[in-house]
Amino acid sequence: MTTTGTSLALGRGRRAGRMRTLSAPSVTRVVKTFGILALIALGVLIQRSGLVDQVLKYRGDILFLGRQHISLVAISGGLAIAVGVPLGLALSRPSMRRSSESIMQVLNIGSTIPTLAVIALAMSLLGIGVRPALFGLWAASLLPIVRNTYAGVLGVPAYFVEAATGMGMRPVQVLFGVEFPNALYVMFAGIRTALAVNVGTAPLAFLIGGGGLGELIFTGIDLNEPGMMLAGAIPTALLAVIVDFAVSAVAYWLVPRGVNPLR
């Protein structure tokens, strides 16, 4: 009787374990199915409300202003990367580490002060148009790139540097042959953050004559036109997602296999 009861208990335990094992994937499928159905229902509701037609009415403006928006993001983001990465590498050098935090706090002004205020200050110096908009977006994007480059280099294990130095590598060779490749994953995280912030902040350029999708957003708000407002807001959101995905894809292939945890 004892043996039989023990085997029945073990059988029930195995069945319960199988049920627990099978329950997790089934719950995931249910959640995915529910999410897909919710998206379909939302799409049907949006289509019936006529909102899609209201947004597509401005497709010509979306294409024209979207090119301006992409140009603002590409130029200001490219300048931020071109300045931020070398600056972060320079601050990570032993001779600069004492003053690195002080310099970082100066750069933090671009993120602490609201971007609209930075753009307004730039407008007082550079006038109205694209130049102050580029300066404001560049200042808002600089800190994440510098901070992550600096932190990524400092996060490289010390024994990597010691081994490279012991092999006779010079400091420049150690920086670009050991520290830089091992810091790439953290650096790309800062670049992704900076560009996502840049895309979302670029609509403010319209307020000082810089163009971009902000023209549709702010004009739609002023005229109480939801279709016009969404015609600027939806492409801006999609552009942020596309930029983030593109940078993550570049990071996936550029970051060395031993450094990138996703490979």
Side-chain angles (χ1 to χ4, degrees), residues 111-142:
S111 299
T112 304
I113 299 175
T115 308
L116 185 58
V118 175
I119 291 176
L121 292 172
M123 182 183 66
S124 64
L125 298 174
L126 301 174
I128 295 175
V130 175
R131 287 188 298 173
L134 290 175
F135 178 82
L137 294 173
W138 172 79
S141 306
L142 193 59

Side-chain angles (χ1 to χ4, degrees), residues 23-69:
S23 63
S26 61
V27 169
T28 305
R29 289 193 207 99
V30 169
V31 171
K32 288 182 178 179
T33 305
F34 179 78
I36 293 171
L37 292 176
L39 288 175
I40 293 173
L42 181 62
V44 171
L45 289 174
I46 293 174
Q47 180 65 34
R48 287 186 176 179
S49 67
L51 198 58
V52 175
D53 296 331
Q54 294 180 34
V55 171
L56 292 179
K57 183 172 64 174
Y58 300 100
R59 57 181 174 270
D61 296 323
I62 293 172
L63 293 175
F64 177 73
L65 297 173
R67 286 193 291 268
Q68 292 182 352
H69 200 102

Side-chain angles (χ1 to χ4, degrees), residues 48-205:
R48 287 186 176 179
S49 67
L51 198 58
V52 175
D53 296 331
Q54 294 180 34
V55 171
L56 292 179
K57 183 172 64 174
Y58 300 100
R59 57 181 174 270
D61 296 323
I62 293 172
L63 293 175
F64 177 73
L65 297 173
R67 286 193 291 268
Q68 292 182 352
H69 200 102
I70 292 172
S71 177
L72 288 171
V73 172
I75 295 173
S76 60
L79 289 174
I81 294 171
V83 174
V85 172
L87 183 57
L89 293 176
L91 293 178
S92 68
R93 298 302 84 204
S95 59
M96 293 289 293
R97 286 178 188 172
R98 289 185 178 180
S99 57
S100 59
E101 282 302 323
S102 301
I103 297 174
M104 211 79 71
Q105 291 305 316
V106 174
L107 296 175
N108 194 33
I109 295 175
S111 299
T112 304
I113 299 175
T115 308
L116 185 58
V118 175
I119 291 176
L121 292 172
M123 182 183 66
S124 64
L125 298 174
L126 301 174
I128 295 175
V130 175
R131 287 188 298 173
L134 290 175
F135 178 82
L137 294 173
W138 172 79
S141 306
L142 193 59
L143 180 65
I145 299 174
V146 177
R147 173 72 71 179
N148 277 53
T149 302
Y150 176 74
V153 173
L154 291 187
V156 176
Y159 54 83
F160 282 12
V161 178
E162 293 173 0
T165 305
M167 293 171 61
M169 295 177 69
R170 291 176 293 179
V172 176
Q173 293 175 321
V174 173
L175 174 62
F176 290 103
V178 178
E179 293 178 305
F180 184 78
N182 283 279
L184 272 177
Y185 185 75
V186 179
M187 289 166 56
F188 268 107
I191 292 173
R192 288 177 65 178
T193 302
L195 292 182
V197 171
N198 196 319
V199 173
T201 308
L204 295 175

